[in-house]
């Protein structure tokens, strides 16, 4: 039976590589930001201190009303795009001889959950643009 300290040394040695890589990554970012700060020119002018909005001088208040429905559409798109990705591995497992009926039932349950969510969004009026 191997010594417990020998096992612990190998265990912690593998984590030390991960820790060293993390330290090197943090140092790399810190050096890059530090070099950028040291090398950039600092010449503040009144034009540079103005608020920039796509080349147009800002007019009015800084607060703007945003329609939430745009975010809801984006959120629904992301949900259905990610869920559709799950259909591809399902299709490969469905082709296996011993998993056919089981995976078919599981996929219909999964698609049923998606359909219920879409029906809920439709009933709440989320999918209406105006």
């Amino acid at each position: 039976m191997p010594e417990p300290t020998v096992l612990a040394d190998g265990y912690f040695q593998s984590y030390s590589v991960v820790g060293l890589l993390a330290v090197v990554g943090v140092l790399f970012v810190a050096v890059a930001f530090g070099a950028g700060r040291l090398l950039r020119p600092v010449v503040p002018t009144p034009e540079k201190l103005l608020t920039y909005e796509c080349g147009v001088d800002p007019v009015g208040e800084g607060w703007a009303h945003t329609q939430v429905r745009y975010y809801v559409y984006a959120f629904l798109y992301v949900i259905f795009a990610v869920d559709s990705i799950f259909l591809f591995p399902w299709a490969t497992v469905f082709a296996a001889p011993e998993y056919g009926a089981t995976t078919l039932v599981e996929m219909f349950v999964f698609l049923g959950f998606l359909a219920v969510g879409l029906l809920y969004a439709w009933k709440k009026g989320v999918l209406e643009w105006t």
Side-chain angles (χ1 to χ4, degrees):
M1 185 166 164
E3 290 277 326
T5 57
V6 174
L7 288 176
D9 288 341
Y11 181 77
F12 290 121
Q13 184 181 5
S14 62
Y15 277 109
S16 66
V17 172
V18 173
L20 181 65
L21 186 64
V23 168
V24 168
V26 168
L27 283 176
F28 180 75
V29 171
V31 167
F33 276 114
R37 185 169 212 164
L38 289 174
L39 296 175
R40 72 176 177 225
V42 180
V43 184
T45 61
E47 289 84 16
K48 284 185 179 180
L49 299 176
L50 285 177
T51 305
Y52 180 74
E53 291 185 8
C54 301
V56 179
D57 290 332
V59 178
E61 295 182 19
W63 295 98
H65 295 285
T66 307
Q67 295 291 333
V68 176
R69 73 177 69 124
Y70 302 125
Y71 298 111
V72 172
Y73 273 102
F75 186 64
L76 285 173
Y77 169 75
V78 167
I79 288 173
F80 284 102
V82 169
D83 289 338
S84 67
I85 290 172
F86 288 117
L87 294 175
F88 292 107
W90 169 77
T92 59
V93 171
F94 183 67
E98 64 241 9
Y99 294 112
T102 305
T103 55
L104 185 65
V105 170
E106 288 173 353
M107 187 46 64
F108 275 122
V109 169
F110 177 71
L111 291 174
F113 280 124
L114 289 179
V116 167
L118 188 61
L119 262 167
Y120 177 77
W122 179 59
K123 288 293 245 182
K124 285 290 192 178
V126 170
L127 302 177
E128 294 181 15
W129 190 257
T130 57

